[in-house]
Amino acid sequence: PDTVFCEADSEIVTIVIMNLSGIPLSEINCIYSLDGGIPVIEPFTDTIAPFSTDTFNFAATVDLSEIGNHELLIGIDLPLDVHPENDTLNYSILNYTNPDPGLPEAGEFCNQKEVNIPLDGMVYLWNTGDTTSSILITESGSYNVQVTDTLTGCTGFDTVDITINYT
């Protein structure tokens, strides 16, 4: 399965453990490893009834601060498991950057100021209600924009204070 994040940092890893046997299970080690790194191993201390599930949240978070593709291996280590082939899952994690609208610095302008964001493949929403990549500012005020990447769903925000002087 694929999972998409936008500028993720430390994330909690949660797994669902299924007991497909007819006996209660306990003393289970839960494991995750990011990008083939050193495995994080934590004990699941409860007992799972036959043909039931339970959820486990790792205390150690996974560091996804590096932008790009990651592989997350999650699983359990159950002593004497007769079907160890169903004990692990691999996840592809895509961590994208949020778009940067790059609004100009605050300033004073004569009569009007056109603000243009030259980013392709984006959806724009200004606090003025405009949904275009540029707006013409004719009144002093604080202007902000939300820019959403149509491919990744990642969103960036920016604000600029503009003062318009009429001559």
Side-chain angles (χ1 to χ4, degrees):
D2 286 343
T3 302
V4 175
F5 287 97
C6 299
E7 292 190 16
D9 195 17
S10 293
E11 299 292 329
I12 295 173
V13 177
T14 301
I15 63 173
V16 175
I17 306 168
M18 300 175 68
N19 180 358
L20 301 176
S21 73
I23 60 171
L25 295 179
S26 59
E27 298 182 27
I28 301 168
N29 281 323
C30 300
I31 304 166
Y32 81 78
S33 175
L34 183 67
D35 297 329
I38 297 171
V40 173
I41 303 170
E42 296 182 8
F44 178 80
T45 56
D46 292 336
T47 299
I48 304 175
F51 307 107
S52 297
T53 62
D54 206 338
T55 301
F56 178 78
N57 293 314
F58 284 86
T61 58
V62 63
D63 180 8
L64 296 175
S65 59
E66 185 176 322
I67 300 298
N69 298 332
H70 298 282
E71 294 298 320
L72 180 66
L73 171 75
I74 61 171
I76 61 167
D77 179 22
L78 181 64
L80 305 175
D81 189 354
V82 295
H83 296 289
E85 66 275 3
N86 68 0
D87 290 351
T88 60
L89 286 173
N90 286 303
Y91 283 89
S92 294
I93 297 174
L94 309 172
N95 189 20
Y96 295 109
T97 59
N98 289 321
D100 179 9
L103 292 180
E105 294 293 321
E108 294 186 27
F109 302 92
C110 292
N111 299 325
Q112 63 185 21
K113 170 68 176 166
E114 182 176 10
V115 177
N116 184 38
I117 304 172
L119 299 175
D120 293 328
M122 302 291 163
V123 174
Y124 303 89
L125 179 59
W126 295 86
N127 63 327
T128 61
D130 290 305
T131 57
T132 58
S133 62
S134 65
I135 62 170
L136 184 62
I137 298 172
T138 58
E139 295 180 19
S140 296
S142 183
Y143 294 85
N144 60 61
V145 65
Q146 172 183 314
V147 179
T148 304
D149 188 314
T150 57
L151 293 176
T152 66
C154 296
T155 301
F157 302 91
D158 204 355
T159 300
V160 63
D161 292 319
I162 300 290
T163 302
I164 300 296
N165 294 317
Y166 295 100
T167 56

